[in-house]
Amino acid sequence: MTQDTPSIDPNKVLDRIKYEYKLRYDKELAELLGISQASISHQRTLRAKLDLEAVVIKCCDRNLNWILFGDTRLLPPIVSTAIASGTIAPNNEAILSKVKEAMAIIEDFIKSGDSMP
């Protein structure tokens, strides 16, 4: 059995966020993520890296497994649990450290090439 290395496609991530929040335009997406419309454009054309921190912070109330990878089975449960536990929520004073922890788990998982059954 071969394992596919999960990857994050910025365009698909941004489109899934628009779908989840019922947004029609990238301008609305930029407002949701708290970044400029130009940043969205640069991320879509791969001139800039996807702002994972903004995605995790602003979309923590949704299924990040699906938003990031298009699959609900890819991330280990600890990521979903950490994000959904309420310790990662807007305006929480510990949000930055929790987001960094979640992002480190996500990045390690991507590098490992593991997949969930």
Side-chain angles (χ1 to χ4, degrees):
M1 176 193 300
T2 63
Q3 294 182 349
D4 293 327
T5 302
S7 63
I8 296 177
D9 179 325
N11 282 304
K12 289 181 180 178
V13 170
L14 296 172
D15 288 341
R16 285 191 288 262
I17 294 169
K18 283 173 68 173
Y19 175 83
E20 276 293 305
Y21 289 90
K22 297 174 178 42
L23 305 174
R24 292 184 62 195
Y25 305 106
D26 280 353
K27 179 180 179 182
E28 297 169 310
L29 177 61
E31 290 171 5
L32 172 76
L33 295 177
I35 59 179
S36 70
Q37 191 172 354
S39 291
I40 296 289
S41 175
H42 290 233
Q43 291 172 42
R44 284 196 180 278
T45 59
L46 306 179
R47 289 183 284 171
K49 288 178 66 176
L50 180 66
D51 190 341
L52 280 176
E53 188 172 321
V55 170
V56 170
I57 290 171
K58 299 296 183 173
C59 301
C60 65
D61 62 331
R62 305 297 164 106
N63 184 332
L64 284 175
N65 297 336
W66 183 77
I67 287 175
L68 293 174
F69 301 106
D71 189 334
T72 59
R73 300 169 294 133
L74 286 174
L75 292 179
I78 189 169
V79 175
S80 295
T81 302
I83 292 166
S85 69
T87 57
I88 297 180
N91 303 319
N92 184 325
E93 56 196 43
I95 189 170
L96 190 54
S97 66
K98 293 294 182 185
V99 167
K100 287 181 180 179
E101 288 174 28
M103 287 175 56
I105 292 168
I106 291 167
E107 289 169 0
D108 288 346
F109 182 73
I110 291 169
K111 289 176 187 172
S112 76
D114 290 340
S115 64
M116 299 296 286

